[in-house]
């Protein structure tokens, strides 16, 4: 079972996400709380995935993210947004967010997105990608990103593209006919050479370097 914690200041959002996710046989919502209760609930419930509102009135979502990232067994954290808080996106990425879900995500897609997060994939809306690339994380333009990706071997670059498409390590291994250990080694090398701490940041560098082609329109790849 994938254990999920929903953190949002709106009771309606918490109730809706809980109902949708609990309909999946392999997902259990172990808590749905406002921001002020998030850190304590993570310690008590030990979720695998946390869906965290990026901006809440009682406590800032970025503050919660920072506290969770300091935990030795930090769960995967994806930010929830209505996308009226673009200025928070870059900071969340730099702080280690594993992805972004729009609150108006198609309910049928939500369990799939949570599974992708739990398996180590990225969940990044094309709207988020364009905003970040065109704004807050694109200050250096394409050239610096191209220099970073030039450090990669041909196989590492292929792994990066699949990471940016949202594939988990097991899926990358199946696609490239590689063992799980080999894929894990390539992913570690990619993150190190790109000087980033998360797969989402690596995906954005791949986007800026022009490795992914036309803008993608799906919430997860």
């Amino acid at each position: 079972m994938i254990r999920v914690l929903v953190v949002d200041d709106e009771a309606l959002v918490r109730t809706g996400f809980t109902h949708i996710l609990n309909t999946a046989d392999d997902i259990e919502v172990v808590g749905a709380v406002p921001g002020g209760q998030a850190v304590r609930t993570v310690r008590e419930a030990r979720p695998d995935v946390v869906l965290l509102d990026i901006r809440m009135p009682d406590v800032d979502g970025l503050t919660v993210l920072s506290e969770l990232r300091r935990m030795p067994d930090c769960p995967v954290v994806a930010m929830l947004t209505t996308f009226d808080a673009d200025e928070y996106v870059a900071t969340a990425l730099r702080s280690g967010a594993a992805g972004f879900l729009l609150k108006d995500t198609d309910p049928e897609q939500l369990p799939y997105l949570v599974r992708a997060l739990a398996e180590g994939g990225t969940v990044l809306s094309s709207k988020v990608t364009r905003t970040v690339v065109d704004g807050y994380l694109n200050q250096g333009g394409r050239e610096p990103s191209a220099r970073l990706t030039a450090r990669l071997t041909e196989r590492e670059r292929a792994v990066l593209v699949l990471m940016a498409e949202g594939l988990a390590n097991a899926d990358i291994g199946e696609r490239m006919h590689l063992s799980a250990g080999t894929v894990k080694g390539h992913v570690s090398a990619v993150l190190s050479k790109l000087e980033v701490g998360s797969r989402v940041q690596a995906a954005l560098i791949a986007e800026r370097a022009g490795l992914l082609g036309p803008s993608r329109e799906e919430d997860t790849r």
Side-chain angles (χ1 to χ4, degrees):
M1 294 291 288
I2 302 171
R3 296 167 60 83
V4 178
L5 173 66
V6 179
V7 181
D8 196 285
D9 63 301
E10 298 181 26
L12 183 60
V13 173
R14 298 196 302 267
T15 300
F17 272 58
T18 298
H19 175 73
I20 293 167
L21 292 174
N22 277 339
T23 61
D25 294 336
D26 59 340
I27 297 174
E28 177 188 7
V29 176
V30 295
V33 298
Q37 300 177 33
V39 175
R40 175 172 57 83
T41 306
V42 167
R43 292 195 178 105
E44 294 174 351
R46 304 182 66 83
D48 304 303
V49 176
V50 176
L51 304 182
L52 174 62
D53 190 2
I54 200 169
R55 186 168 60 182
M56 296 174 286
D58 57 343
V59 59
D60 183 68
L62 297 177
T63 299
V64 175
L65 173 62
S66 179
E67 292 187 45
L68 295 181
R69 292 289 294 172
R70 287 198 293 268
M71 292 182 177
D73 53 351
C74 176
V76 175
V77 182
M79 310 306 291
L80 297 174
T81 178
T82 55
F83 232 76
D84 59 351
D86 296 350
E87 69 273 16
Y88 289 80
V89 172
T91 302
L93 287 173
R94 295 189 185 104
S95 298
F100 289 83
L101 278 70
L102 299 182
K103 291 186 181 181
D104 61 357
T105 295
D106 184 342
E108 293 184 359
Q109 286 292 312
L110 189 57
Y112 174 77
L113 299 176
V114 167
R115 293 186 190 105
L117 288 165
E119 293 170 1
T122 59
V123 173
L124 188 62
S125 165
S126 58
K127 295 179 182 178
V128 175
T129 300
R130 284 193 294 270
T131 297
V132 175
V133 170
D134 294 341
Y136 301 101
L137 293 186
N138 198 35
Q139 297 174 354
R142 173 170 292 189
E143 185 176 355
S145 296
R147 285 202 299 267
L148 286 171
T149 56
R151 300 174 180 177
L152 305 178
T153 66
E154 182 176 350
R155 176 156 288 184
E156 289 168 350
R157 194 173 294 110
V159 169
L160 171 60
V161 170
L162 295 179
M163 288 168 59
E165 292 177 354
L167 271 67
N169 287 1
D171 298 318
I172 294 174
E174 182 177 349
R175 183 80 63 88
M176 298 184 66
H177 306 290
L178 300 173
S179 70
T182 299
V183 173
K184 184 176 180 180
H186 284 318
V187 170
S188 295
V190 167
L191 297 178
S192 177
K193 290 181 179 181
L194 297 184
E195 302 176 7
V196 296
S198 75
R199 298 167 78 104
V200 175
Q201 290 170 300
L204 292 169
I205 288 177
E207 183 92 25
R208 300 207 307 271
L211 299 183
L212 306 184
S215 297
R216 294 153 291 165
E217 295 302 325
E218 300 176 1
D219 283 324
T220 187
R221 277 71 57 191

